[in-house]
Amino acid sequence: MGLTYFLTAGLVSCSNFSFFGINALGANVTPIRELRSQPDSNTTVYIQGKVEKIAPLLKRRAYLVRDETGKIWVITNQTNLRVGDQVVIKGQIRYRSIPIANREYGEVYVEEK
């Protein structure tokens, strides 16, 4: 039992995982607030956070993911995520324009790769 504890503690302490840190599982995580300034780019990003809402779409799902800096919708084929799950998602930043009465109500989102 004691040996298992020390081996597990050693592995965790050597890993790159940190929940709201800069690095998760070896990937550079982008804070969600920074994604708003990069709409509709072909930039690949990693986001990390907690699933807050789920919106079933026709063949895909949308998950509202929140980190300490904000929240963003993520479009994915994954159907196994639940509210409260902690996730790290790799995707591309997208922007959907929604013009209504000469005003823009568009939204930045992430499409999982």
Side-chain angles (χ1 to χ4, degrees), residues 7-110:
L7 288 174
T8 304
L11 287 173
V12 170
S13 67
C14 292
S15 72
N16 286 331
F17 183 81
S18 79
F19 180 65
F20 285 121
I22 299 302
N23 212 331
L25 305 175
N28 290 325
V29 174
T30 303
I32 290 173
R33 88 170 152 256
E34 291 181 17
L35 301 178
R36 305 265 178 220
S37 64
Q38 307 172 36
D40 208 18
S41 71
N42 287 324
T43 305
T44 298
V45 295
Y46 289 86
I47 62 166
Q48 181 174 348
K50 183 177 181 178
V51 175
E52 282 200 339
K53 291 183 184 179
I54 301 171
L57 304 175
L58 193 55
K59 292 184 180 181
R60 305 172 94 189
R61 294 249 172 135
Y63 297 98
L64 185 63
V65 177
R66 174 190 286 276
D67 72 5
E68 63 189 11
T69 68
K71 53 189 170 182
I72 194 165
W73 285 99
V74 176
I75 307 297
T76 179
N77 290 326
Q78 292 188 53
T79 59
N80 60 339
L81 299 179
R82 301 176 196 266
V83 171
D85 284 355
Q86 302 292 337
V87 295
V88 175
I89 295 180
K90 176 184 178 183
Q92 287 189 313
I93 302 167
R94 301 284 191 225
Y95 180 79
R96 175 68 60 177
S97 176
I98 306 171
I100 300 173
N102 295 327
R103 295 192 65 193
E104 181 59 46
Y105 294 94
E107 185 74 27
V108 174
Y109 65 97
V110 173

